[in-house]
Amino acid sequence: MKPLLRLEGLEAGYGPARVLNGVSFDVGRGEVVALLGRNGMGKTTLVRAVMGLAPWVRGRVLLDGRDLSHETPYRIARAGIGLVPEGRDVFPNLTVRENLIATARRASGPRAWTLERVLDLLPQLRERLGAQGGTLSGGEQQMVAIGRALLINPELLILDEATEGLAPQLRTEVWDCVRTLQAQGQSILLIDKHVAVMRTLADRIVLLEKGRVAWRGAAKALPEDVLQRTLGV
Ligand SMILES: Nc1ncnc2c1ncn2[C@@H]1O[C@H](COP(=O)(O)OP(=O)(O)O)[C@@H](O)[C@H]1O
Ligand SMILES: [Mg+2]
């Protein structure tokens, strides 16, 4: 079966500095793949490369067989990749409603995301629709970033450190949200430092070390010694 996302020999970096040294892996339809690795190993650079936001990229990014490697970030998002970026990037001077709908992409069918469906998933945003982005708590900003990405009706949702800096209770809310989406068949590439949670939540794990895939396979099959060696946990 054709994977939803396929990365083939992806290289990327900043000017002369190469960060990704030929990364290849797939995300299948309906699959949750966790991308793990210590700080500075290239996870966010990989996300930027997929989204067309890295200064330079070599290799290929295929979405449903379509080569996106030379597309603009706008066209990549429109092709069906929704990003919840590291740091969230909620527009401070737009309201919650405006943040949510600013980049929305309509879709048809019963599973299409609408503002109403997003507010059912993230009910805490309902009473905050008129609030300015800049006045939101970290947890609320995270929910806005997730809702905004869902409203582009993505084939693939990418979350880059969505639980970073959140209190334990709010982290759990984000993971519950991911589980709900997973149960609905949403394909997800997930970056998160909480390895123990990723081992139970993800279907598959890709371990990144110095811009290379150090290990990949079924989440349940990840050996302790590999974890110890690559993440020190
Ligand atoms: N804008 C940038 N300019 C130059 N180097 C960068 C930039 N962003 C990240 N890097 C470097 O790229 C490497 C990988 O960073 P990053 O992809 O953010 O890793 P991770 O998300 O795994 O923590 C690091 O060495 C980092 O210092
Ligand atoms: Mg990062």
Side-chain angles (χ1 to χ4, degrees):
M1 210 181 72
K2 192 163 58 178
L4 177 61
L5 178 75
R6 164 157 281 180
L7 306 184
E8 291 180 355
L10 201 62
E11 300 177 19
Y14 305 91
R18 184 207 298 245
V19 174
L20 298 182
N21 295 299
V23 172
S24 303
F25 67 88
D26 293 344
V27 180
R29 277 199 183 277
E31 226 182 8
V32 175
V33 174
L35 180 64
L36 306 180
R38 290 186 199 189
N39 282 339
M41 290 299 168
K43 303 180 299 296
T44 296
T45 303
L46 183 145
V47 171
R48 289 198 191 120
V50 168
M51 297 306 294
L53 295 165
W56 63 265
V57 177
R58 284 197 289 269
R60 296 212 299 169
V61 176
L62 302 167
L63 188 73
D64 210 11
R66 176 178 162 200
D67 190 349
L68 297 180
S69 325
H70 303 290
E71 296 285 6
T72 60
Y74 174 80
R75 288 174 63 97
I76 292 168
R78 293 282 128 172
I81 306 184
L83 172 63
V84 179
E86 194 174 45
R88 301 164 193 138
D89 290 352
V90 169
F91 300 114
N93 298 321
L94 296 186
T95 65
V96 166
R97 177 193 292 274
E98 289 163 346
N99 265 285
L100 288 171
I101 65 175
T103 53
R105 179 184 77 142
R106 264 183 212 287
S108 53
R111 289 196 36 235
W113 288 101
T114 58
L115 183 57
E116 203 46 43
R117 263 198 78 206
V118 162
L119 295 174
D120 286 343
L121 178 74
L122 309 166
Q124 58 274 65
L125 294 184
R126 202 177 278 280
E127 65 218 43
R128 302 287 276 145
L129 279 176
Q132 297 281 310
T135 67
L136 302 177
S137 70
E140 288 170 336
Q141 284 181 37
Q142 196 57 63
M143 296 307 170
V144 169
I146 293 172
R148 181 178 60 190
L150 288 173
L151 276 168
I152 81 146
N153 276 289
E155 300 287 328
L156 176 72
L157 181 66
I158 303 179
L159 294 108
D160 191 356
E161 309 272 11
T163 61
E164 176 84 13
L166 297 185
Q169 164 71 27
L170 291 165
R171 291 205 295 261
T172 303
E173 281 182 30
V174 170
W175 291 322
D176 285 346
C177 177
V178 169
R179 285 190 192 92
T180 302
L181 296 171
Q182 182 179 31
Q184 294 173 5
Q186 175 73 55
S187 312
I188 301 174
L189 178 62
L190 192 57
I191 297 169
D192 195 298
K193 294 261 156 54
H194 298 84
V195 178
V197 177
M198 292 304 106
R199 291 176 89 182
T200 61
L201 197 163
D203 301 305
R204 286 195 303 122
I205 283 176
V206 175
L207 249 164
L208 209 59
E209 197 179 21
K210 296 185 186 142
R212 292 179 198 279
V213 175
W215 188 89
R216 64 180 184 187
K220 291 183 181 65
L222 180 59
E224 294 297 332
D225 63 314
V226 171
L227 260 187
Q228 176 65 38
R229 180 165 49 78
T230 57
L231 296 177
V233 294

